[in-house]
Structures are given as structure tokens and as C-alpha cells.
Amino acid sequence: MISRSLMAASTKPILLSILLEGEDYGYNIIQKVKELSGGALEWADGMIYPVFQRLEKDGLVASRWIASPEGRFRKYYRITAQGHAELSEEMAQWRAVVAAMGKLWRPLPTLD
Amino acid sequence: MFNLEKAILEWRRSFRRFASYEEGVLAELETHLRDEFGRLKRAGAGDEEAFAAAALAVGRPEAVGAEYSKSAARCSPLLIVSHVKVALRKARRRKGTSLINILGLAVGMAACALILLWVRDELSFDRFHHGVERLYRLVLVDQRTDNSSYIRELPSPVADALAKDYPEIEAVTRTYGARFQVRFGDKAFNENAVAFVDPAYFRIFSFPGVVGDPAAGLSDQSSVVLTEETALKYFGGENPTGKVLNLDGRNDYRVAGVVRVPRNTDLRFAIFLPLRSLERWGISGASLDSNWRGRMYRTYLRLGPGGDPRALERKTSGLLKAHNPGRDERLRLQPLTEMHLYAPDGTPAGMRIVVVLSLIAALILAIACINFMNLATARAGSRAKEIGLRKTVGARRSQLIRQILAESVLMSFLALALAIVLISAALPSFGRLTEKSLSFDLADPAAVSGLVAVALMAGLLAGLYPALVLSSFRPAAALTGRSVSPRTGARLRKALLLFQFSVSILLLVATAVILSQVRYIQSRKIGFDRENLIYAYIMGANRDNVELLKREVEGRPEFLGASACDNLPTQILYQYSADWEGRDSATEVEFNYTICDFDYVRTFRMTIVAGRDFSRDRPADEEAFLINEEAARRMGVKSPLGTRLRFMDGHWGEIIGIVKDFNFRSMGTPISPLVLTPKGRKRYFVARLKPGDPGPAVRSFEQAWERVNPGFVFEYGFVDRNFDILYRNERQLGKIVGSFSLLAVFISCLGLVGLASFTVGQKTKEIGVRKVLGAGRSEIARMLASAFLKWVLLANLIAWPAAAWIMSRWLENYAYRTRLTFWMFALAGIVSLVVALATISVHTLKSALANPVDSLRTE
């Protein structure tokens, strides 16, 4: 289980990173997150929509409504140029943190 | 049986209960729910089970809603646009109240802005000098008498002594004001604002040089520095450098520089001459360097960085005593920034007016804001349904507060637009009222940001209470119209109405008192006849022709008499000590003095109460003195007549007569002891005209002048106008307070109109029922009117004691003052009642005359 604060910090880079693969809609994105984290990232599904709204207001993502083959309208999000810039900044920061942690925590000794 | 669509509808509603969402948000959440529902179904779950699980996956409505409003709280521009749209729609729908709101607020803002423009101008005086916080005016504190007097003119050597011996002082300058007739070619002007100054003057004060270096320009004894305006007057567009001006036909000065002097300075001179060049005018260098007794030079200094004015005052405390052992004098450093609004002794003379007017500005704005609050809360009942509906469809309280505040801020900005128009329209007449040329420039960032701040504040202040009240309605109760009685905020409304009228009445009383005081001091007998006295200032060569001019005038039929003197009665300012026979050594009296010829008392029509006037038949009278009654009282001699007196360390002379006390200064000051002496230089020529049209007399005066002084510019004035100038401040204050109190009454009444129409609207049915039951028109009208007049009466009761207390404190500033009389209060009361009655009578009459059937049928 991941703590609230860590979750809050990681949501934005995760969502932006998923959008790097291409335009997608909320439900699908949630499924991908669950898959990727093996269930470690437990979100209430509804929680990502306000986050997207905020990202959109900040100009990091853009959205449009597209009708699915079965006629259901879905809101698709894609990353903007500003989003790319923001993400690479975030990535640099996360990499720095991960690298530091990696040096501190040697691999666990294994029993041969 | 489980119905998916119904469940989804219910689910959406549960979301709305906790927040309102932007378009599409709920649709997006719904597709998510449907996708998850579909996945679970495919996995084999039942309808009901799949829906519950999907809803759970989406999340609890309150948690998701809270997350959304977090991002909405960042104030989307969309939301603001929507608020503005709604507010405009509201304004259009309620034209009457909107108009009252906007007009009242606009008038209030405009009044407030005008006063603030004036205040800003007053506060800006002499603040533009570089390092102004280190500039000081020196004040001589004469501690000899029972209460110290503070004198702006210092002995000449003080400046040099300070500059030489006190390293913390960067520069010192003296100024000596004079008037000359200045001639260039065929142009001649009488210049009243000529200053002799030290070269340091332009290093201390920042009057930017336009041509040449002003400080260097004054180092040469025959050079002169002009202001831009003066240079333009003499030379038009030509380069003034090197041009030669002739002063009084006696001395030439060569123009060495031109400076720009802004409007907001009290150092408004037109021409600057080197102080040392006073020697060319008969003031000896010895007197400039070592006369420690004569007080003639205003002196200013600039302290070095870190210089401590209080320490310098202490260090210089012995300076004057060392040179004038008999006297107890010290120096006070008054910050230059205080020069405009504070007297030399530090009394906040002008500052008091600034504070009072700022207060009035704030009160007027408050009155205007109160209108807004009152009308908004009064209308609360009719808005209850709207609020209830908004809440039901999911508006949160904070959103409602924002909406209502947006409405009131929008109103206040509409009012601001109108106010700007009003300000521009009223500025010229306000300028005349205050005798100031104020400008209002929309490109001036300070003025604009000030106005926007005022508008924003007014909008928020006015909207805050209605916002809190309205947003607190319980939706269910509001929709059924039960909990919202028309009494919502009634008590507050009445209290605010009371406040408005109390303030208005207070201002009305203040106006009555100020105007009555002005009339009192202007019409009070001052001890001589100041009407029909014409005067001229004798310059240069003319100075020797006083007798000639007198004879010339005396022979003409338009004149009743003439006299020469050194100062007009309004200009007798300086005090000196005197000695007399039989003086108790403990008795020190400071006398004012004026030099006059033998016809002075006759010409001014003063009264001799004892002894006799000067007489031409007795040449010895040249050495004699007249004193006033106050002097006779203060000298402590049994009979002053025949007593010998010595004044200003001069000659001993006999007191031959006592003049009845006359006021030679503003009524703010009591009459002080006065000595009249014929010995000395006389610069003013005063003639008494026959009553009636002064026109022919002025022409005759001019002819006489031309015959005696061909070629000298003729300028004249009337003594009674000079007295009017003494009361300029009071007159202005009276006019300003008067106009703004009328505005306050107007705005209060505007609010009353709104409240009256609202109350009448509320009571339509009650009136109908009363009429059906047999009430007459007059009864109905009385019932409605009394509801308001009661409060106006109460406001009078509150305002009167407050006004009495404040105004009697104000009157204490005057040595001669009018009494507070009942009519001042009664008049304010009557005005407030009549105006209020007239205001509401339209509404009361309308409803009193209405057919009860119409009002009762509305059900």
C-alpha cells in the first residue's frame, strides 16, 4: 500500500507518462495504471478525473470527446507540448531521487 | 426489479449534492461507471451487483466532489464570466434598485475620490526634494514670555555659524522675501515673490535647472535665477541667459539660470537673487554677518546622512544665548515635510483639516455602501427562492458567496465608471471650491489603482453581509418561503439607516456652525473701518514720494484721507520687546508694532480712548508712541499716558495716546499689545474712498500715481479683501464640508427611496386589508411615513450631542467665536426630516391611493 503523500506526488508524472503512448480515455488509463503497478497503486477510479481537469487547466493535457463504435462518448486526453516539458522536468527529479535511493539501499543479500 | 438507468440517475444526483461541476464532468464519470459495469457483467456478475461494485470503484461522491472543488477553487475564468453574466442579468431585471445602487455608490465614490485627490495634493507638498527626510526648516523658539513663541525668521549669522561649526550639517540657506518692480526693455512687472537666497538653496532643494546651473548662478553678486514661468513672461521663447533685468530702477541683474518650480511647494518664488547682493540694497555686510538680534531670514538646512535633528537641537541650544545674553532663544528643527501642514510650533493646523476631510470621505463612502447592503438584504426575501434553487441543484455556500460578491463588485465597478465621469465633471468646480488646480488623469497609475481599490473594497464591503445572510438560507425552507421572513436583517437595516442619517445630520450641523463662525468673524467689529480702503505698495524710487502722492490724492474729491505705513493691518506679524519707565523687571511684554504717519488713526478710523492722536502741529510727535489698550493693560503702569517707552532698543519716546483695540490678525488669535510709531520706513500707501462705486476712485488713484511716479506699474488692493484672505481656510472648510454634507444627505435619501419602495411593496397586502377595513388615506400615509421618520428623529437625537461636542471643540481654536445656538441643530433636524419625508412620500402616497382590490387580488 502506497502512502497518500507519495501517491499525490506521483499521480501527475504517471498520468502524463501513460499519455506518452498516445491519446487515451480515463477508464483505459486507470486499467493501465492498475496493470503496471500490479495493484500497488490503489486509486478510487473517480479520483483521476479531477486530476485530469487540473492538468487540463494548467495546459499540460488537452481533451476531446470521441464516440466509440458502440456509440458511447468518451473523453480522450493527450499530452501537450507544455506537458512534455513538465514531464521531462519531473522525470529528471524522480530519476535523481531513485538514483540516490538506489545507492543507499544496496541489493538485499541473497542466500545462495 | 433493478433498473440501471434509474440507478445511474440516482447516482448522478448523489454527486450533485456535494458540489457543482463543470459541463461534461458527470458525463465523463458516467461513461467510466458504464465501462466498469460492462466489464463486471462480462465477468459474470449480476446487474445490481455489478452496478454497486462499479459505483464503489468510481469512488464516494463526497470524496470525488471535494477533489473537484479543489481544482475549481482556483477560480476559473469561466466561472467569473458566468458570475458577471448572472449579475448583469440581475441588474437589468431590477432597474430601479440597480440605478439607486449604482448612482448612490458612484456619487459616494466620486466624492470620496475628489477629497482624496485634495488630500493627496496636500500631503505631496515639498516631498519631491531629493533626500527630503534630511531637510529641515529652522524655527526660533523665543522662551522669554510666559508661553514660547515660534518664529520662522532667524537672525542672519545663524546660518553661517551652523554651516561652520556643525559637521553634521551638509548645507544651510537663508531666504529673504522681497518685492520689486522688474523691468526688461519695455516690459515691467511688479514681482511680489522675489527671494534673496544663498547659493546652497539649490543644493538643498531640488528645483531642476532648465538652463544653466542655478547654484553656480547665484555665486556672482549680480546674477539672477528665474523660474520657467518668469523667464517666459519676460523673454517669451528667447534664451534668457545673459539678459539683464533692472530692479526698481536701481540695480541690474544678469540672468544666469532658469529653474523649474513645481506647483506643490510652499517655496514659491519667481525670482532668486544672491543673498549677498542685499548689500546692493543698503543692508550692510556687517549686519548680515553679525546682527544676532534682527529676525529676518527664513533658514533651511540639509543634514548629512545619519544626522540626528534632536541631537543638533541640543547642541545648538546655547548658540543664540551666547550672542544674545538677555534672551532665552533656542532653535527647533522642523522637518520640511511638515512645513505645509504643521505650524512652526508643530500644531497640526492643516493636518487637522486633512484628517477631518479624509474622515468625511470615508463616512460618505460608508453611507453609499450601506445603501447597497440595505437594499440587498431587504431584497433577500425575494431572492430566497433563487438561492434555494441554486442550493438544491448543487451550489455550495462558498460558491453562492462568490456569486453574490461578484454581483456587488460588478455593481461597484459600474458605479466606478459613472464615478469617473462625475469626477471629471465636478473637478473644475471642486477646484474653485478648494482654490487648487487639481488634475485627475486616468493614465496616473496611483490614481487608477486607488480608484480600483476603492471600488473593489466598496463592492466587497457592500456585498459581504448580504452574501453571508443569503447564502445561509436552508434550501428547503427558502423554497417554501417559510423561514425567510421579510424581517431578515431588519434590525441591522434600521441600525444602518440610523447611522447614515446620524452622520448626515452631524455634517449638516457642522456646516451650520462653520458657516456661522465665518460670518461671525467676518462681520465682527474689528476696531476700525476696513471698508473702502484702497492701498498700493510703494516701490523703489517712489518710496521717497509718499508725501507727494498723499498730497496729490488728498486734493481729489473721491478720497477722504490717506496715510502711509510700513505694513497693512493684516501684515503686522513680528514681535519685539520694549522697555518703559516704571517697568517691573519681572514684566516682559512682547509688542507688535507698526510704523505709520500722523494720518494713520484718522484714515483707518480708529478710536483714541485716552490721550491724543499724533499731530502735525507738534513735530516732536515724530518721536512719540501710540499704544493699544491691550498694551496699556499689560504694561502694569498706573497711567501709561506720558510714560516714556523704548522699543527695539531704539529711542525713548513718550506715549501720547491709547488706541482702542483693533484686530490686526485672524480671529483665531487674541489681540496682542501693539505700538504705533511714526519713525521708520513706510511702504504702503492707504487711502480712504468715499463709499459707493470704487471705479472712478481707482482711476483717479491711478492718475495721481502716474503723475507722481510716471513709468511705475500701478497695482492696488483693498484692505477688506486682505481680511477676507485671513479667513480663507475657514471659508473653504465651510464650503467643502457644506457641499459634502449635502451629498451625504442625498446619498442617504437615495437609500431611503429604495427602502421605502421595498417596505411599501412588502406591505401592499396589509394596506389593502386596512383599507378594506375602513382605514383612510391619511392614516395609511401616516403609518408608512412614521415607520421611517421615527428613525430619522432618533438619528437627530444621536447626532446632536455628538455634533455639539465636536463643534464646540473646533470653536475652541478661535479666540473670538460664535455660540452654538439651538437653531443650528434644529435646522439640521428639519432639513433631514423634510428631505426624508419628501423622499418617501412618493411611495406612501402611491400606495395610500391604490385600490385595495388590486393588491389583494394578487393571490
Side-chain angles (χ1 to χ4, degrees):
Chain A
M1 189 66 194
I2 292 174
S3 75
R4 271 181 79 90
S5 57
L6 191 52
M7 197 98 101
S10 58
T11 308
K12 185 161 93 178
I14 290 177
L15 293 182
L16 289 176
S17 304
I18 288 173
L19 290 182
L20 284 179
E21 294 167 15
E23 208 172 11
D24 209 342
Y25 63 98
Y27 185 79
N28 236 4
I29 293 170
I30 288 275
Q31 303 312 321
K32 283 185 187 165
V33 172
K34 283 182 179 156
E35 225 170 275
L36 281 168
S37 67
L41 285 168
E42 270 303 322
W43 290 351
D45 294 4
M47 287 303 203
I48 70 157
Y49 293 105
V51 177
F52 270 124
Q53 187 179 42
R54 210 142 54 217
L55 290 177
E56 190 166 7
K57 274 179 186 162
D58 292 343
L60 304 181
V61 302
S63 70
R64 56 176 176 162
W65 288 87
I66 294 175
S68 70
E70 63 270 31
R72 191 170 289 164
F73 274 92
R74 295 202 172 94
K75 197 175 185 181
Y76 279 74
Y77 294 93
R78 66 176 183 281
I79 187 164
T80 63
Q82 202 185 329
H84 274 292
E86 179 82 15
L87 180 59
S88 50
E89 176 61 25
E90 285 262 357
M91 277 159 109
Q93 290 180 17
W94 280 99
R95 287 212 168 101
V97 172
V98 171
M101 301 279 193
K103 279 179 202 154
L104 286 169
W105 304 324
R106 303 270 154 60
L108 295 172
T110 48
L111 293 171
D112 289 303
Chain B
M1 186 57 210
F2 179 76
N3 179 336
L4 179 64
E5 294 311 314
K6 219 170 140 189
I8 287 178
L9 216 62
E10 194 55 45
W11 174 83
R12 282 180 78 133
R13 199 168 291 153
S14 71
F15 266 84
R16 281 220 191 81
R17 204 169 314 145
F18 294 98
S20 68
Y21 304 93
E22 284 174 34
E23 267 174 35
V25 166
L26 286 181
E28 188 179 23
L29 285 174
E30 188 186 320
T31 51
H32 189 107
L33 181 80
R34 286 182 189 274
D35 283 342
E36 181 69 5
F37 177 80
R39 189 182 68 81
L40 291 168
K41 281 283 286 183
R42 282 193 296 282
D47 274 0
E48 202 165 354
E49 192 190 348
F51 178 80
L56 196 67
V58 171
R60 285 177 302 131
E62 59 267 38
V64 176
E67 200 60 33
Y68 266 110
S69 29
K70 241 190 260 164
S71 72
R74 291 198 288 177
C75 214
S76 84
L78 265 173
L79 212 58
I80 290 179
V81 171
S82 120
H83 284 331
V84 168
K85 237 190 268 172
V86 172
L88 275 176
R89 230 176 273 153
K90 285 231 152 33
R92 225 172 296 137
R93 200 171 318 144
R94 270 185 275 265
K95 285 202 188 75
T97 41
S98 304
L99 195 73
I100 289 173
N101 268 337
I102 291 173
L103 186 65
L105 212 51
V107 172
M109 275 182 196
C112 184
L114 284 176
I115 294 180
L116 291 184
L117 276 178
W118 180 87
V119 165
R120 187 169 74 142
D121 187 72
E122 283 292 293
L123 293 178
S124 75
F125 266 70
D126 282 306
R127 299 232 168 213
F128 55 84
H129 304 289
H130 300 306
V132 71
E133 69 285 348
R134 288 189 280 126
L135 300 188
Y136 295 89
R137 157 165 90 177
L138 282 166
V139 177
L140 188 148
V141 187
D142 189 333
Q143 304 173 119
R144 259 185 311 177
T145 38
D146 35 354
N147 54 346
S148 308
S149 45
Y150 291 76
I151 299 155
R152 282 169 292 192
E153 287 79 13
L154 269 57
S156 168
V158 171
D160 283 339
L162 287 177
K164 212 166 68 220
D165 300 334
Y166 299 86
E168 60 267 53
I169 299 175
E170 256 180 29
V172 190
T173 183
R174 293 162 288 185
T175 69
Y176 177 74
R179 19 197 319 175
F180 288 108
Q181 169 150 307
V182 180
R183 186 176 286 281
F184 174 73
D186 55 352
K187 286 185 192 163
F189 297 97
N190 283 346
E191 296 290 356
N192 301 329
V194 181
F196 288 90
V197 302
D198 287 309
Y201 187 84
F202 292 108
R203 285 200 296 276
I204 292 174
F205 303 116
S206 316
F207 298 119
V210 177
V211 176
D213 174 8
L218 287 181
S219 49
D220 170 11
Q221 280 239 18
S222 61
S223 52
V224 56
V225 170
L226 307 177
T227 61
E228 233 174 353
E229 290 154 321
T230 316
L232 214 61
K233 192 164 77 175
Y234 286 93
F235 312 116
E238 280 180 68
N239 180 4
T241 325
K243 296 258 181 356
V244 175
L245 295 176
N246 178 272
L247 272 61
D248 273 9
R250 284 172 61 187
N251 286 314
D252 286 344
Y253 283 86
R254 187 177 302 279
V255 178
V258 176
V259 290
R260 181 171 297 145
V261 174
R263 195 180 52 78
N264 52 350
T265 173
D266 284 326
L267 301 160
R268 282 204 67 79
F269 295 111
I271 295 178
F272 300 92
L273 304 173
L275 193 109
R276 278 323 287 199
S277 76
L278 275 170
E279 291 184 41
R280 298 170 71 191
W281 298 94
I283 292 184
S284 70
S287 154
L288 281 177
D289 293 333
S290 53
N291 180 357
W292 283 86
R293 297 183 77 81
R295 300 160 179 172
M296 284 166 64
Y297 303 90
R298 300 202 173 173
T299 309
Y300 307 86
L301 62 81
R302 176 187 285 278
L303 278 184
D308 177 4
R310 297 290 89 81
L312 187 62
E313 280 176 352
R314 279 193 297 276
K315 278 168 77 178
T316 56
S317 60
L319 178 67
L320 284 156
K321 275 180 222 156
H323 291 91
N324 296 329
R327 300 182 179 175
D328 186 5
E329 299 166 326
R330 63 180 175 87
L331 294 176
R332 170 173 195 265
L333 269 68
Q334 183 176 34
L336 194 77
T337 47
E338 283 187 9
M339 192 166 70
H340 184 62
L341 293 172
Y342 295 80
D345 63 350
T347 19
M351 198 59 193
R352 217 175 276 145
I353 297 181
V354 167
V355 169
V356 166
L357 285 184
S358 309
L359 215 65
I360 291 180
L363 285 175
I364 287 183
L365 195 63
I367 289 179
C369 287
I370 285 172
N371 279 353
F372 193 98
M373 284 170 67
N374 270 355
L375 286 177
T377 53
R379 278 192 347 232
S382 64
R383 279 195 80 168
K385 287 215 171 97
E386 172 203 337
I387 303 292
L389 197 64
R390 279 177 178 276
K391 279 206 162 174
T392 317
V393 296
R396 287 143 53 92
R397 185 163 184 207
S398 64
Q399 287 172 322
L400 283 173
I401 290 179
R402 269 206 299 277
Q403 164 75 39
I404 295 167
L405 283 182
E407 269 177 50
S408 81
V409 169
L410 178 84
M411 287 289 210
S412 77
F413 273 87
L414 287 178
L416 177 64
L418 183 59
I420 288 173
V421 175
L422 288 177
I423 292 169
S424 322
L427 205 55
S429 40
F430 184 67
R432 275 193 297 282
L433 192 69
T434 56
E435 292 164 41
K436 237 182 219 288
S437 69
L438 295 170
S439 62
F440 172 67
D441 188 359
L442 271 180
D444 174 1
V448 171
S449 54
L451 277 176
V452 169
V454 164
L456 205 62
M457 218 173 61
L460 290 179
L461 263 177
L464 195 62
Y465 180 74
L468 291 179
V469 170
L470 289 175
S471 64
S472 70
F473 289 165
R474 304 232 148 267
L479 279 174
T480 51
R482 246 177 298 136
S483 79
V484 194
S485 81
R487 295 211 157 293
T488 308
R491 202 174 298 158
L492 182 85
R493 223 155 38 233
K494 280 169 186 157
L496 290 176
L497 189 72
L498 206 58
F499 171 78
Q500 284 182 309
F501 272 88
S502 301
V503 170
S504 305
I505 293 161
L506 184 85
L507 289 175
L508 280 175
V509 174
T511 310
V513 174
I514 294 171
L515 291 180
S516 134
Q517 171 70 4
V518 171
R519 197 166 332 123
Y520 174 79
I521 51 186
Q522 277 182 328
S523 64
R524 191 173 179 276
K525 290 223 179 353
I526 54 168
F528 68 91
D529 181 2
R530 64 186 152 180
E531 311 285 324
N532 301 311
L533 286 174
I534 192 169
Y535 69 85
Y537 183 74
I538 305 161
M539 286 187 171
N542 304 25
R543 217 173 270 167
D544 311 324
N545 295 335
V546 177
E547 278 303 313
L548 261 172
L549 189 61
K550 240 173 100 174
R551 249 170 272 142
E552 182 71 36
V553 163
E554 274 167 344
R556 290 167 185 261
E558 296 89 352
F559 299 94
L560 298 172
S563 167
C565 49
D566 75 326
N567 273 315
L568 293 175
T570 48
Q571 293 163 336
I572 302 174
L573 297 174
Y574 308 132
Q575 295 194 320
Y576 294 90
S577 60
D579 199 5
W580 59 90
E581 289 171 340
R583 180 172 74 96
D584 175 357
S585 61
T587 312
E588 283 274 6
V589 181
E590 298 287 305
F591 290 82
N592 286 101
Y593 80 102
T594 188
I595 300 166
C596 57
D597 66 3
F598 288 4
D599 298 318
Y600 188 78
V601 172
R602 239 191 325 281
T603 307
F604 280 88
R605 293 188 174 156
M606 292 164 180
T607 319
I608 300 282
V609 291
R612 60 178 181 84
D613 191 3
F614 296 118
S615 164
R616 283 188 212 210
D617 304 333
R618 306 191 195 200
D621 279 0
E622 191 69 32
E623 304 272 310
F625 296 108
L626 291 177
I627 59 172
N628 69 353
E629 293 172 295
E630 180 64 17
R633 270 192 291 277
R634 296 274 287 273
M635 280 167 66
V637 187
K638 207 167 275 166
S639 160
L641 284 183
T643 304
R644 283 159 57 79
L645 177 107
R646 189 167 74 142
F647 188 66
M648 277 170 77
D649 306 324
H651 66 278
W652 284 94
E654 192 186 330
I655 296 172
I656 56 165
I658 298 175
V659 183
K660 189 175 166 49
D661 279 342
F662 63 92
N663 282 93
F664 48 86
R665 280 194 267 173
S666 135
M667 295 283 175
T669 36
I671 294 171
S672 27
L674 178 77
V675 173
L676 287 87
T677 168
K679 239 188 154 167
R681 191 171 60 172
K682 306 170 190 75
R683 301 158 147 199
Y684 278 93
F685 180 77
V686 183
R688 178 166 294 283
L689 312 179
K690 283 195 175 140
D693 174 23
V698 170
R699 277 189 293 281
S700 173
F701 190 25
E702 184 169 10
Q703 281 166 15
W705 179 276
E706 288 291 326
R707 282 181 51 170
V708 179
N709 291 298
F712 271 79
V713 179
F714 174 66
E715 265 180 27
Y716 66 96
F718 288 96
V719 170
D720 53 350
R721 299 234 181 100
N722 278 36
F723 269 91
D724 287 348
I725 290 169
L726 284 184
Y727 307 117
R728 198 176 136 247
N729 282 343
E730 284 77 9
R731 246 196 351 267
Q732 256 188 39
L733 186 68
K735 283 196 275 183
I736 296 176
V737 174
S739 339
F740 286 101
S741 61
L742 287 180
L743 272 184
V745 173
F746 170 73
I747 301 172
S748 303
C749 285
L750 222 48
L752 202 55
V753 173
L755 277 187
S757 77
F758 162 76
T759 308
V760 168
Q762 288 258 310
K763 295 197 171 175
T764 317
K765 225 164 271 173
E766 178 189 340
I767 293 165
V769 172
R770 278 172 187 271
K771 280 190 145 184
V772 169
L773 293 178
R777 285 167 194 177
S778 61
E779 263 171 83
I780 299 285
R782 209 179 312 134
M783 175 195 99
L784 289 169
S786 71
F788 286 106
L789 294 189
K790 201 165 62 189
W791 294 102
V792 177
L793 268 176
L794 191 56
N796 270 295
L797 293 184
I798 293 173
W800 288 2
W805 185 74
I806 293 171
M807 292 322 285
S808 58
R809 297 243 346 237
W810 179 74
L811 282 175
E812 277 166 20
N813 291 330
Y814 294 88
Y816 304 92
R817 49 183 179 253
T818 182
R819 279 195 315 276
L820 294 178
T821 49
F822 177 71
W823 69 260
M824 295 170 182
F825 298 88
L827 197 69
I830 291 169
V831 168
S832 61
L833 279 173
V834 167
V835 174
L837 192 61
T839 311
I840 55 181
S841 62
V842 183
H843 290 288
T844 46
L845 276 181
K846 204 166 69 186
S847 60
L849 294 177
N851 184 350
V853 176
D854 293 334
S855 59
L856 290 175
R857 205 171 42 188
T858 51
E859 271 300 87

